[in-house]
Amino acid sequence: MEKIGNALQDWKLHEGEYRLMEVIWENEPVNSTALAGLCQAQLGWKKSTTYTVLRKLGQRGLLKNESATVISLVKKSQVQRYESHRVVEHSFGGSLPAFLNAFLSEKKLSREEAEELKGMIEEASK
């Protein structure tokens, strides 16, 4: 959960919810009928599936569907930040070095990626 103001936000999204939010983020504001068409084309979903997930996400305060227009109430970057913190806390005891060790154990970084990470670490440690 992420604290926003005085409220804790639960932005955990299941796979299908995240996929729908991606379609919304890429197309918002989007008409709900057009969104159902996009979900059918991109995700293979039936109209009823789209509307069910829309309703659930709306009830959780992640999006608004008003006058047949859908907009997100949370940014993609906020959800990504929440999910990444949750993974580090849950799977690595809050240890970012342990997470990076596991992530990088079978991946070779390019020089550009390594430099970018170094810059991020330097910026975060200021």
Side-chain angles (χ1 to χ4, degrees):
M1 299 219 182
E2 184 165 320
K3 189 165 183 153
I4 304 297
N6 290 329
L8 287 175
Q9 298 297 317
D10 182 0
W11 291 333
K12 179 181 179 192
L13 296 176
H14 300 285
E15 180 68 26
E17 293 171 333
Y18 190 85
R19 292 173 70 202
L20 175 65
M21 289 299 294
E22 283 192 306
V23 175
I24 293 168
W25 287 319
E26 291 171 10
N27 297 282
E28 67 181 322
V30 61
N31 173 276
S32 57
T33 302
L35 179 61
L38 288 168
C39 288
Q40 181 179 9
Q42 294 179 22
L43 307 175
W45 288 9
K46 293 180 180 179
K47 186 176 182 178
S48 60
T49 302
T50 299
Y51 285 125
T52 297
V53 178
L54 266 178
R55 182 179 41 78
K56 289 179 180 181
L57 291 173
Q59 290 171 343
R60 290 179 44 209
L62 293 161
L63 58 81
K64 182 167 66 170
N65 184 3
E66 192 171 274
S67 301
T69 300
V70 179
I71 61 168
S72 66
L73 298 176
V74 61
K75 295 176 183 167
K76 185 176 183 176
S77 61
Q78 291 173 299
V79 172
Q80 289 173 325
R81 184 173 56 244
Y82 170 82
E83 288 287 346
S84 62
H85 284 274
R86 197 174 68 76
V87 166
V88 171
E89 287 299 320
H90 179 263
S91 299
F92 298 94
S95 172
L96 187 56
F99 167 78
L100 288 173
N101 184 51
F103 184 79
L104 295 173
S105 66
E106 295 182 15
K107 179 174 174 43
K108 181 79 171 154
L109 291 179
S110 69
R111 181 176 302 277
E112 294 80 20
E113 289 172 321
E115 290 301 319
E116 186 176 354
L117 287 172
K118 285 179 191 175
M120 288 177 184
I121 291 169
E122 288 173 9
E123 187 63 32
S125 63
K126 288 183 180 177

